[in-house]
């Protein structure tokens, strides 16, 4: 093991394994078409009973209004080849994304207060799915102040008397004197007073997040395959990685790298740690599922059943669920000698996403058939079938802070993160869908377009935030604040799709893997605040 400092300053870099066109511009200036162009001239007949007409002047401007019937691509000589995306402006500060979002929100609120009535409540920044009715505050129609339009004379108010509502508008009597110094008519600024108070309010300090990984590990033969799950971080702070036909473990406390197993005629396609213990489940290309004791470094069991590669694994206590390219899902009880206890066959293509919710005993599955399904316990029929995604669903994550809240992400043709309520009853779902009058599922709470392929999702256990990794075309890691879905930070560094994501047991560090054969460690979240009134008693599970 040899550590060296990278040239880019990305932290300590450790060897994990020693073996190792532009769109064409218009070529001519189009002239504005004139009325009647291409038609024979017609004589103008004089009629004494008709109003005199004047010939329309010829317009010679630089504005071109194309004919919608013609082929615009042919006129402008547009090429069908894909264009090279422009490189976005480099963000130098760690909090630029948060500052830009806060500035946009402040500008929108001030503009809304200036245009509409003072009592207008700012619309929340949370975007709603298309087809859903937006929930706003009071109506956005400005109220018209009442005025005595046909009043010819009014009683003059005594000096020093302030008329009602003088802060919001001019007094009803033109002869009266408004003595309120805070009235809008005496203001020297075009900004209303409540908008000035909004601008003078100190902004909440943004949480700084380092844009540079504090550690980089070389990971030779880390597969650049969207449908595989080759990185997982166990509860004992040990990272498991599948590289080619080998599985390696990396201990966080000591930085020790150790080879757990090696297959001569097979390839690793998925790894997943059990919630409690040192057992690691491994899926292979030939359809085998093996269970290894990482501490003792010995194989405990080999289970069969699949006829193709096993790309997804998920533990739920003693139940191990495996999903394969053969379109089947097996529930396996590791205490039972049988190979599997339940077989699920609802998906029509390869299974690439599996996540158990141990709180509600629900299983979320995603496949290459663009389907997201939710199953209750070990049932062989899904409770929900969601087909809102337009690409493969690999990214799946259950919210640990809100019961039954599921987040899912779509592939290249979808690029969205969707949020689902999986505890909605059938009657509530039907009533909600009827009230919305939309073809969208009633369980869909929100949908965010990320602009990139969504490869992984993970919720923070310390705060109500979500981290997503992306592929085409930006290859970045984004931290979102839920439910506003404002970007907290965007982390870049990988040169390939960020296909793998795992989180440390304490919830502070995330590790990402990509086809560039590197593992990068990021300080993404803050440490959980454990300051309570219990003191040292909060660590005790049993009071004697």
């Amino acid at each position: 093991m040899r550590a060296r400092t990278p040239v880019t300053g990305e932290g300590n870099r450790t060897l994990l394994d020693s073996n190792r066109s532009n769109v064409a511009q218009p070529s001519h200036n189009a002239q504005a078409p004139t009325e009647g162009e291409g038609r024979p001239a017609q004589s103008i007949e004089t009629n004494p009973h008709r109003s005199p007409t004047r010939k329309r002047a010829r317009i010679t401007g630089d504005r071109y209004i194309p004919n919608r019937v013609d082929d615009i691509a042919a006129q402008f000589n547009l090429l069908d080849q894909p264009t090279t995306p422009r490189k976005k402006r480099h963000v130098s500060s760690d909090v630029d994304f948060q500052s830009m979002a806060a500035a946009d929100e402040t500008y929108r609120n001030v503009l809304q207060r200036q245009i509409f009535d003072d009592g207008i409540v700012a619309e929340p920044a949370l975007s709603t799915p298309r087809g859903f009715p937006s929930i706003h505050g009071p109506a956005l129609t400005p109220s018209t102040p009442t005025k005595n339009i046909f009043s010819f004379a009014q009683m003059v108010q005594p000096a020093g008397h302030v008329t009602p509502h003088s802060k919001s508008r001019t007094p009803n009597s033109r002869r009266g004197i408004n003595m309120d110094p805070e009235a809008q008519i005496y203001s020297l600024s075009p900004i209303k007073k409540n908008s000035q108070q909004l601008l003078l309010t100190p902004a909440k300090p943004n949480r700084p997040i380092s844009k540079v990984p504090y550690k980089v590990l070389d990971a030779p033969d880390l597969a650049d395959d969207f449908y595989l799950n080759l990185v997982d971080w166990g509860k004992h702070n040990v990272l498991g990685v599948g590289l080619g036909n080998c599985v390696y473990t990396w201990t966080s406390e000591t930085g020790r790298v150790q080879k757990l197993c090696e297959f001569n005629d097979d390839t690793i396609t998925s790894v997943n740690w059990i919630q409690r213990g040192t057992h690691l489940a491994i899926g292979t290309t030939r359809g085998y599922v093996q269970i290894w004791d990482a501490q003792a470094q010995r194989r405990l069991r080999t289970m069969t059943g699949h006829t193709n590669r096993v790309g997804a694994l998920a533990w739920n206590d003693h139940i191990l669920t495996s999903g394969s390219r053969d379109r089947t899902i097996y529930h396996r009880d590791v205490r039972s000698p049988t190979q599997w206890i339940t077989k699920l066959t609802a998906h029509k293509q390869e299974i690439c996403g599996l996540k158990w919710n141990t709180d509600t005993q629900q299983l979320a599955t995603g496949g290459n058939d663009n389907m997201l399904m939710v199953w209750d316990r070990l049932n062989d029929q899904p409770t929900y079938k969601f087909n809102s995604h337009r690409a493969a669903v690999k990214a799946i994550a259950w919210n640990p802070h809100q019961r039954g809240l599921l987040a899912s992400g779509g592939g290249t043709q979808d690029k969205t993160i969707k949020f689902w309520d999986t505890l909605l009853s059938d009657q509530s779902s039907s009533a909600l869908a009827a009230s919305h009058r939309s073809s969208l599922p009633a369980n869909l709470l929100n949908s965010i377009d990320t602009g990139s392929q969504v490869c992984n999702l993970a919720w923070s256990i310390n705060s109500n935030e979500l981290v997503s990794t992306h592929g085409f075309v930006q290859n970045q890691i984004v931290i979102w604040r839920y439910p506003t879905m404002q970007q907290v930070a965007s982390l870049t560094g990988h040169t390939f799709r960020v296909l793998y994501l795992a989180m440390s047991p304490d919830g502070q560090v995330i590790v990402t893997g990509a086809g560039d054969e590197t593992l990068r460690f990021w300080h993404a979240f803050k440490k959980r605040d454990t300051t309570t009134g219990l003191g040292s008693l909060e660590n005790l599970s049993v009071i004697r």
Side-chain angles (χ1 to χ4, degrees):
M1 189 68 61
R2 182 169 59 89
R4 56 190 176 89
T5 304
V7 178
T8 57
E10 293 181 343
N12 296 330
R13 188 178 181 91
T14 310
L15 183 64
L16 186 59
D17 187 9
S18 58
N19 300 327
R20 340 206 349 157
S21 58
N22 293 330
V23 178
Q25 299 296 332
S27 58
H28 62 278
N29 295 328
Q31 295 182 357
T34 58
E35 183 178 356
E37 185 178 355
R39 299 179 182 177
Q42 298 179 359
S43 60
I44 302 177
E45 300 179 358
T46 59
N47 188 346
H49 303 288
R50 182 182 301 176
S51 302
T53 60
R54 52 186 300 183
K55 187 176 180 180
R56 183 182 297 271
R58 179 170 182 153
I59 302 174
T60 56
D62 59 350
R63 182 180 180 187
Y64 174 70
I65 304 177
N67 187 358
R68 298 295 186 262
V69 181
D70 297 338
D71 187 1
I72 301 179
Q75 293 181 4
F76 283 90
N77 299 325
L78 295 180
L79 300 179
D80 295 333
Q81 62 184 5
T83 60
T84 303
R86 294 182 179 180
K87 188 174 181 180
K88 293 191 174 181
R89 181 178 62 87
H90 177 69
V91 180
S92 57
S93 176
D94 294 340
V95 295
D96 274 357
F97 284 102
Q98 304 177 62
S99 301
M100 292 170 60
D104 293 341
E105 181 69 15
T106 303
Y107 174 77
R108 187 181 65 85
N109 291 335
V110 171
L111 186 62
Q112 193 173 28
R113 290 169 182 262
Q114 289 295 115
I115 297 177
F116 301 111
D117 191 78
D118 296 343
I120 294 299
V121 179
E123 182 181 356
L126 177 61
S127 57
T128 56
R130 186 172 52 186
F132 277 63
S134 300
I135 302 175
H136 304 284
L140 295 183
T141 304
S143 60
T144 303
T146 58
K147 296 181 179 179
N148 297 327
I149 300 178
F150 297 102
S151 178
F152 293 96
Q154 290 184 352
M155 182 180 297
V156 180
Q157 298 291 344
H161 181 77
V162 181
T163 58
H165 310 286
S166 59
K167 293 185 179 182
S168 60
R169 60 178 182 268
T170 306
N172 293 334
S173 175
R174 294 185 179 180
R175 301 180 182 179
I177 300 177
N178 190 347
M179 301 300 296
D180 187 4
E182 297 182 357
Q184 185 65 26
I185 58 175
Y186 300 133
S187 177
L188 300 179
S189 172
I191 305 298
K192 295 182 180 180
K193 184 176 180 180
N194 54 359
S195 299
Q196 296 179 16
Q197 294 176 353
L198 177 64
L199 295 174
L200 294 176
T201 302
K204 183 179 179 181
N206 296 321
R207 175 166 60 92
I209 297 178
S210 176
K211 296 295 185 68
V212 179
Y214 73 92
K215 182 181 290 294
V216 178
L217 298 179
D218 282 335
D221 298 331
L222 184 62
D224 186 17
D225 194 329
F226 176 81
Y227 301 97
L228 305 185
N229 295 272
L230 298 175
V231 178
D232 193 32
W233 206 327
K235 296 299 181 182
H236 288 268
N237 215 1
V238 178
L239 184 69
V241 185
L243 302 177
N245 60 345
C246 301
V247 176
Y248 291 85
T249 60
W250 176 81
T251 306
S252 177
E253 287 84 358
T254 61
R256 180 185 179 187
V257 178
Q258 193 170 9
K259 181 189 291 187
L260 179 62
C261 61
E262 181 178 2
F263 301 137
N264 296 326
D265 56 350
D266 211 344
T267 306
I268 309 301
T269 55
S270 57
V271 295
N272 191 254
W273 289 97
I274 195 171
Q275 285 96 340
R276 296 184 299 272
T278 59
H279 293 174
L280 179 66
I282 303 173
T284 67
T285 302
R286 299 178 62 182
Y288 296 125
V289 177
Q290 295 189 359
I291 301 177
W292 283 73
D293 187 346
Q295 187 172 7
Q297 291 190 349
R298 65 187 182 94
R299 185 181 62 188
L300 302 179
R301 186 175 180 182
T302 300
M303 292 178 285
T304 60
H306 291 296
T307 59
N308 211 320
R309 69 179 186 183
V310 181
L313 295 168
W315 285 91
N316 182 15
D317 200 7
H318 56 274
I319 300 297
L320 175 60
T321 304
S322 59
S324 171
R325 180 182 272 183
D326 61 9
R327 303 171 294 179
T328 61
I329 300 174
Y330 286 116
H331 290 308
R332 310 172 187 270
D333 191 341
V334 296
R335 305 170 302 178
S336 173
T338 59
Q339 296 297 325
W340 50 271
I341 56 177
T342 307
K343 181 179 180 180
L344 312 179
T345 58
H347 283 280
K348 303 303 180 184
Q349 290 192 35
E350 180 176 7
I351 313 299
C352 51
L354 287 177
K355 284 296 173 63
W356 272 102
N357 186 352
T358 57
D359 184 22
T360 61
Q361 292 298 308
Q362 289 179 313
L363 173 68
T365 63
N368 197 30
D369 54 358
N370 307 346
M371 294 293 296
L372 173 67
M373 301 187 186
V374 179
W375 315 69
D376 282 337
R377 300 183 183 275
L378 302 181
N379 295 342
D380 57 356
Q381 294 297 325
T383 306
Y384 297 107
K385 289 184 178 181
F386 302 129
N387 59 355
S388 298
H389 287 288
R390 295 177 296 174
V393 183
K394 176 193 177 184
I396 300 174
W398 293 94
N399 190 332
H401 310 288
Q402 185 172 343
R403 195 169 182 266
L405 178 59
L406 175 66
S408 61
T412 307
Q413 300 300 324
D414 186 75
K415 303 177 182 178
T416 64
I417 300 177
K418 300 183 185 298
F419 299 91
W420 311 87
D421 182 4
T422 62
L423 298 180
L424 198 62
S425 62
D426 295 337
Q427 292 148 1
S428 301
S429 176
S430 302
L432 191 57
S435 63
H436 286 165
R437 297 180 182 177
S438 172
S439 58
L440 295 174
N443 305 74
L444 182 60
L445 301 177
N446 195 9
S447 180
I448 300 296
D449 187 359
T450 64
S452 298
Q453 176 190 36
V454 184
C455 302
N456 292 279
L457 291 173
W459 290 93
S460 170
I461 61 176
N462 302 329
S463 60
N464 202 13
E465 294 177 335
L466 179 72
V467 58
S468 60
T469 66
H470 300 271
F472 304 121
V473 289
Q474 300 181 20
N475 304 333
Q476 83 277 34
I477 304 108
V478 181
I479 301 176
W480 310 82
R481 181 179 291 109
Y482 187 82
T484 60
M485 291 308 291
Q486 294 180 352
Q487 287 192 16
V488 179
S490 179
L491 312 177
T492 57
H494 286 289
T495 57
F496 283 67
R497 297 180 295 173
V498 189
L499 299 177
Y500 310 108
L501 171 68
M503 186 177 296
S504 62
D506 59 3
Q508 299 185 67
V509 178
I510 60 173
V511 57
T512 57
D516 55 8
E517 298 184 346
T518 61
L519 296 176
R520 299 171 184 262
F521 295 78
W522 316 78
H523 285 294
F525 303 105
K526 296 186 300 183
K527 188 175 181 180
R528 178 183 296 177
D529 186 10
T530 58
T531 304
T532 61
L534 297 178
S536 59
L537 295 178
E538 63 180 355
N539 297 325
L540 300 178
S541 58
V542 179
I543 299 179
R544 300 180 180 178

